[in-house]
Amino acid sequence: MKLFCRDQLPLALFWLAQMLLVPLLYWVSGENRPFSIVLYGMSLSLIVLLLYLVFRYTQHRKLYARLSRPEVQPGNHLGPMGDAPLPEAVDELLQLIDREYQEQLNSHVQRLDQHIVFMNRWVHQMKTPISVIQLTVQELDDEAASSIQEELERLRRGLELVIYTSRLDRFEDDFYVQPLGLRKLVSQAVSENRRLFIRRGIQVDIGVDEDLSIYSDAKWLMFMLTQILTNAVNYTAGSGKKVTVSARRSGEATILDIADQGIGILPEDLRRVFNPYFTGERGRQYHESTGMGLYLVREICARLGHRVELESTPGEGTTLRLIFKI
């Protein structure tokens, strides 16, 4: 109603100016018409104006209502705004814009799907030669073979990072939540990265009870644990240090702590470590840092309904906390 009144304000002012001109014209021409006659004519004109405004508002009520509340809910397509020429023209224009937008959106979705398919195929093609090289290198027993093995593991982790990043946009189509034994999952993640721990001389202490279970997706959770453990080892300088994995019940949640004795994170970087591509001051000291590991951990946690927290003290270490609701 407010928008209608603002829209018709120029017409009302124009009508008022006309009504003031009528007695002025009588006064200039010298015709001494009674004021009651003049007032009667103005009243009739006002009634006609009001009838016009009521008719106009009735015709365009839906249009003014939509324009007064322009918010668009997801999946709420535009509907008819009235049968008058103006609402029909506005509706036709909006439908045209909506079709153009939908075509562009479908085109982007198709290109994204093709890109994801290409990345998945490319990663799988790369995995085969990597596996062959790994099997070949395992039969060798010299320092060069160890270096090649290290580079192959780094390449494998990079490929996993690529494929999980590309799948994140289709997360809803690729997850399965089920009860999982937390200790078994942590042990499996540590076992898959045991060469990294051995090579860096880092010990692992797993303090997770056998009876602790959570509801989550095994594949995505294993990827998160790998990213967290890799970070814990990469940012822990010097052998003989320890990465501690512990879990406990707290109210209606299960809390998993992964603590390292690494270089820690500077206070000014703590707020940004979950941002994509952010490496921070510490990350620039290590060429392996991509700035994507913690970002993916936070995104996956959000999609699985978990929570992630991080505490760190420079020079003493970092504790990353995963919180699973029961």
Side-chain angles (χ1 to χ4, degrees):
M1 191 64 179
K2 289 183 180 178
L3 181 60
F4 175 76
C5 294
R6 288 167 52 195
D7 187 39
Q8 300 302 322
L9 182 60
L11 175 62
L13 294 176
F14 181 72
W15 172 86
L16 183 60
Q18 281 188 315
M19 291 303 98
L20 293 176
L21 282 175
V22 172
L24 180 62
L25 181 62
Y26 285 146
W27 180 74
V28 171
S29 62
E31 296 183 19
N32 295 323
R33 297 293 181 90
F35 182 72
S36 59
I37 297 298
V38 175
L39 188 61
Y40 179 71
M42 294 174 65
S43 299
L44 286 178
S45 178
L46 178 61
I47 292 173
V48 172
L49 176 65
L50 291 176
L51 290 175
Y52 167 78
L53 292 177
V54 170
F55 174 74
R56 179 81 176 179
Y57 178 74
T58 304
Q59 269 194 320
H60 301 85
R61 181 172 52 84
K62 292 182 179 178
L63 174 63
Y64 283 112
R66 293 297 298 271
L67 294 178
S68 299
R69 297 187 297 274
E71 71 272 8
V72 177
Q73 299 296 330
N76 183 17
H77 296 288
L78 299 172
M81 301 182 188
D83 300 329
L86 180 60
E88 286 183 348
V90 173
D91 184 46
E92 185 177 354
L93 175 62
L94 293 179
Q95 293 292 344
L96 185 63
I97 296 173
D98 185 58
R99 282 197 296 272
E100 179 70 18
Y101 169 76
Q102 291 296 335
E103 289 176 0
Q104 291 182 3
L105 181 62
N106 292 334
S107 175
H108 284 299
V109 171
Q110 288 178 359
R111 285 203 293 270
L112 180 61
D113 288 341
Q114 291 173 357
H115 177 72
I116 292 174
V117 171
F118 168 76
M119 293 301 296
N120 290 340
R121 288 180 178 175
W122 182 80
V123 169
H124 282 298
Q125 287 179 352
M126 291 299 103
K127 280 185 174 180
T128 302
I130 289 174
S131 299
V132 173
I133 295 173
Q134 276 185 323
L135 291 174
T136 305
V137 170
Q138 286 176 359
E139 298 176 357
L140 305 177
D141 188 18
D142 55 24
E143 187 175 348
S146 178
S147 298
I148 294 174
Q149 188 75 35
E150 181 179 355
E151 295 302 322
L152 286 173
E153 289 180 10
R154 188 177 300 171
L155 183 57
R156 180 178 57 81
R157 288 195 296 271
L159 290 176
E160 287 184 352
L161 187 67
V162 170
I163 197 168
Y164 277 90
T165 303
S166 67
R167 287 176 177 174
L168 199 59
D169 290 331
R170 293 289 182 273
F171 185 86
E172 292 77 11
D173 302 329
D174 187 30
F175 81 101
Y176 176 66
V177 175
Q178 59 183 326
L180 301 170
L182 194 54
R183 182 179 178 86
K184 180 180 179 182
L185 207 65
V186 170
S187 299
Q188 185 180 347
V190 171
S191 176
E192 290 186 0
N193 295 276
R194 64 183 182 282
R195 289 194 184 92
L196 181 63
F197 284 93
I198 295 172
R199 192 164 50 248
R200 299 295 176 89
I202 307 296
Q203 299 177 355
V204 185
D205 183 10
I206 302 177
V208 181
D209 291 338
E210 293 281 357
D211 58 346
L212 280 178
S213 63
I214 58 171
Y215 283 89
S216 187
D217 179 281
K219 183 179 65 178
W220 286 99
L221 185 56
M222 181 62 66
F223 173 75
M224 285 198 299
L225 292 175
T226 298
Q227 293 299 314
I228 297 168
L229 291 173
T230 302
N231 278 353
V233 174
N234 285 339
Y235 293 115
T236 300
S239 61
K241 295 191 174 180
K242 183 184 296 184
V243 171
T244 304
V245 184
S246 60
R248 65 186 187 279
R249 295 280 192 196
S250 178
E252 297 183 350
T254 299
I255 300 175
L256 178 69
D257 286 336
I258 301 175
D260 63 53
Q261 299 175 333
I263 58 176
I265 302 171
L266 297 176
E268 58 267 29
D269 289 344
L270 274 176
R271 292 184 296 105
R272 304 170 62 191
V273 292
F274 291 108
N275 293 347
Y277 308 112
F278 179 77
T279 56
E281 184 65 29
R282 300 301 196 197
R284 293 188 183 93
Q285 301 174 19
Y286 294 83
H287 298 298
E288 292 184 22
S289 178
T290 63
M292 290 297 291
L294 289 179
Y295 163 72
L296 289 173
V297 168
R298 185 189 63 177
E299 290 297 310
I300 295 168
C301 276
R303 285 166 168 77
L304 289 174
H306 309 326
R307 209 168 80 232
V308 58
E309 297 177 353
L310 188 142
E311 297 175 356
S312 185
T313 303
E316 297 183 7
T318 300
T319 299
L320 192 139
R321 183 170 297 120
L322 295 177
I323 302 172
F324 308 92
K325 294 180 181 178
I326 297 177

